[in-house]
Amino acid sequence: MGRAEKLLEKLASAKNTFAWSDLVTLLAQQGYEKQEMAGSRVRFYNNELDHLILLHKPHPENYIKGGALKSVKEALKQVKIL
């Protein structure tokens, strides 16, 4: 099992938190381009799938949690990545 598959499995089983750096790596491996926007907003866009994920970069900790984690999982399920 490669790194991409391990990160997908880790995200799928994440209940409360997921490391931001792992999420950025995972989305890049899946073809998403990261675009920093105003403030802490970050846009991830996959041109091949024409799919957009909008998030706020977490601070002060470096983990996404709660609604952000749930929305990332749902977005990746929509395009059959997760």
Side-chain angles (χ1 to χ4, degrees):
M1 182 183 298
R3 179 150 167 78
E5 291 85 14
K6 286 181 184 177
L7 281 176
L8 278 171
E9 188 176 293
K10 185 177 174 183
L11 177 62
S13 64
K15 300 283 186 230
N16 299 319
T17 62
F18 193 76
W20 175 256
S21 58
D22 285 347
L23 180 64
V24 171
T25 301
L26 172 68
L27 291 176
Q29 290 170 343
Q30 299 302 320
Y32 285 84
E33 292 182 27
K34 178 183 171 191
Q35 299 170 337
E36 303 264 344
M37 300 172 64
S40 63
R41 288 178 286 196
V42 181
R43 176 187 322 194
F44 294 94
Y45 183 70
N46 186 317
N47 196 36
E48 185 178 313
L49 299 174
D50 190 30
H51 189 247
L52 179 67
I53 299 173
L54 293 172
L55 294 169
H56 282 262
K57 188 174 181 180
H59 53 81
E61 66 275 341
N62 200 22
Y63 294 93
I64 63 167
K65 53 188 172 184
L69 178 59
K70 184 178 177 182
S71 70
V72 167
K73 286 180 168 185
E74 287 176 4
L76 293 178
K77 285 177 185 177
Q78 286 177 351
V79 292
K80 312 251 187 292
I81 290 177
L82 192 62

